[in-house]
Amino acid sequence: MMRYRLPARLLHWIMAVLVLAMIPAGLVMVQQGIARPLQDALFLFHKNTGVLLLGLVALRLVWRWRNPPPPLPATLPPAQARIAGLTHWAIYAALIALPVLGYIRVRAGGFPIETLDALGLPPLVPRSEPLANLAKSLHALAGFALAGLVLMHMGAAAYHGLIRRDGIFSRMWPPFGAGRDN
């Protein structure tokens, strides 16, 4: 079975680690009563990793456009193939929407994004509490949607890797290593 090429696998696993770190950081940083230094560190991590993830998802989409994924096995039922495709594109949509909504929330709220500030990029949205609050709510909803999609993706990967053993999991694993790449 053909595997994803090394750049696709590396981008996938780097982004997976970052997303899996961002979800709990995002949930904890907004809790009442946590120590301010911890909260500040989590906000810094979350905002600036969001910038990094937006760049990585753009790079990943360009790579995918120029290097289509290997075909799914013919033994995969068509409904599963459609669900897998829809889930992947929904994950991409969430990975774009979340940083954009986070950016709007932070900038409209009058807060810095240290990475972008260091690059000298001015805010692209006006300061507006109603806009910040709307973006905050949409960001939270998109975050929960992404968490659900990630759980579905991980469950499907485990099913194909541990139960079906049909080669679908090995298309992306291991991140490094030999094998017949697409």
Side-chain angles (χ1 to χ4, degrees):
M1 170 161 300
M2 300 282 285
R3 295 182 347 146
Y4 282 86
R5 291 184 174 173
L6 180 61
R9 292 193 317 265
L10 289 176
L11 283 168
H12 175 274
W13 289 105
I14 290 168
M15 291 177 67
V17 167
L18 292 174
V19 167
L20 290 174
M22 290 280 279
I23 292 170
L27 292 170
V28 171
M29 72 187 196
V30 296
Q31 297 303 309
Q32 298 294 324
I34 66 169
R36 189 65 192 196
L38 174 60
Q39 189 176 41
D40 289 345
L42 290 172
F43 270 105
L44 279 169
F45 168 78
H46 196 80
K47 291 185 296 181
N48 293 292
T49 303
V51 171
L52 175 60
L53 276 168
L54 184 59
L56 289 173
V57 76
L59 180 62
R60 188 158 176 205
L61 287 169
V62 168
W63 176 266
R64 186 180 175 113
W65 173 60
R66 306 245 335 165
N67 301 274
L72 291 167
T75 57
L76 188 69
Q80 281 186 25
R82 279 192 297 281
I83 291 168
L86 291 172
T87 302
H88 281 103
W89 287 110
I91 290 171
Y92 283 124
L95 288 171
I96 293 168
L98 278 160
V100 170
L101 290 166
Y103 175 90
I104 293 168
R105 187 276 177 261
V106 170
R107 291 302 201 189
F111 301 104
I113 300 177
E114 294 73 13
T115 303
L116 299 179
D117 293 343
L119 295 172
L121 297 173
L124 300 175
V125 296
R127 182 156 179 163
S128 165
E129 284 306 313
L131 179 60
N133 289 332
L134 175 62
K136 179 180 177 181
S137 296
L138 293 174
H139 183 79
L141 287 172
F144 286 116
L146 178 62
L149 290 164
V150 166
L151 286 173
M152 285 176 51
H153 183 69
M154 290 170 61
Y159 171 72
H160 286 285
L162 300 172
I163 297 170
R164 292 275 316 263
R165 298 179 186 254
D166 56 7
I168 290 177
F169 180 77
S170 62
R171 292 163 21 112
M172 190 58 79
W173 183 262
F176 306 100
R180 191 171 155 219
D181 290 349
N182 178 27

